[in-house]
Amino acid sequence: QVQLVQSGSELKKPGASVKVSCKASGYTFTNYAMNWVRQAPGQGLEWMGWINTNTGNPTYAQGFTGRFVFSLDISVSTAYLQISSLKAEDTAVYYCARDGPGGIGPPFYWGQGTLVTVSS
Amino acid sequence: QSVLTQPPSVSAAPGQKVTISCSGSSSNIGNNYVSWYQQLPGTAPKLLIYDNNKRPSGIPDRFSGSKSGTSATLGITGLQTGDEADYYCGTWDGSLNAVVFGGGTKLTVL
């Protein structure tokens, strides 16, 4: 069965960086794109963009350019989200979420989420 | 402000039926498939409906989806207390070139 297992919660100071991992299993990693979704405390879902797992080419949604980087390690079927120059407003749960058979669109499978807390 | 509009909350009694609406435009719902997600407290979203009205394996037929024009609807019958959760609609927006979500609807089973 498809599983996306994310790394654990992080507590970071403003200005620091964080790297969240998402290890996939149960399917061929390069057959489906990987999305990233943010959920701020008490708020809704916000799509951050996606990465083509064949080419490694990332696409960032508006508002997620510059400090956000999607990357892959295909050898271990893992996607990464790195956020630099962290701000308090980056405090959120970050989800990786795999595409469905129809290609890029609303995700099918979701990781369990990684809470990133930014506080001095 | 979300691109897709959902009511903030709905409620109904156990055993009853509830519907949750999701309103968009021709650039999103009007020309793309809609998905629905259930998010139980403290957990990740879970896919309930995809391609407007299809249920993934394991999702009971108490959950249904429909679409008409630029709006979509999630229906839940035989409500159970375990259905209390936040529900989100999502689709692709061709103008924004982005996946867009509704703001979420909190379901209370009284």
Side-chain angles (χ1 to χ4, degrees), chain A residues 35-119:
Chain A
N35 299 267
W36 288 94
V37 177
R38 181 172 77 178
Q39 187 169 36
Q43 302 300 308
L45 305 173
E46 189 174 18
W47 187 72
M48 301 173 65
W50 66 286
I51 185 165
N52 185 318
T53 53
N54 261 310
T55 64
N57 183 48
T59 298
Y60 301 98
Q62 208 167 8
F64 294 100
T65 55
R67 298 188 300 115
F68 300 85
V69 176
F70 307 149
S71 62
L72 305 169
D73 185 341
I74 293 173
S75 68
V76 289
S77 300
T78 300
Y80 300 94
L81 164 66
Q82 183 161 1
I83 311 171
S84 58
S85 302
L86 283 163
K87 308 174 183 180
E89 50 264 42
D90 294 323
T91 295
V93 176
Y94 293 84
Y95 295 100
C96 62
R98 202 208 80 176
D99 264 357
I104 188 67
F108 257 55
Y109 299 97
W110 296 65
Q112 84 276 19
T114 296
L115 173 62
V116 175
T117 303
V118 183
S119 174

Side-chain angles (χ1 to χ4, degrees), chain B residues 18-22 34 36 52 64-68 71-75:
Chain B
V18 72
T19 59
I20 298 172
S21 61
C22 175
V34 177
W36 288 92
N52 302 334
S64 64
S66 64
K67 188 182 99 167
S68 178
S71 293
T73 302
L74 173 69

Side-chain angles (χ1 to χ4, degrees), chain B residues 92-104:
Chain B
W92 179 257
D93 190 299
S95 293
L96 297 173
N97 278 322
V99 172
V100 291
F101 295 103

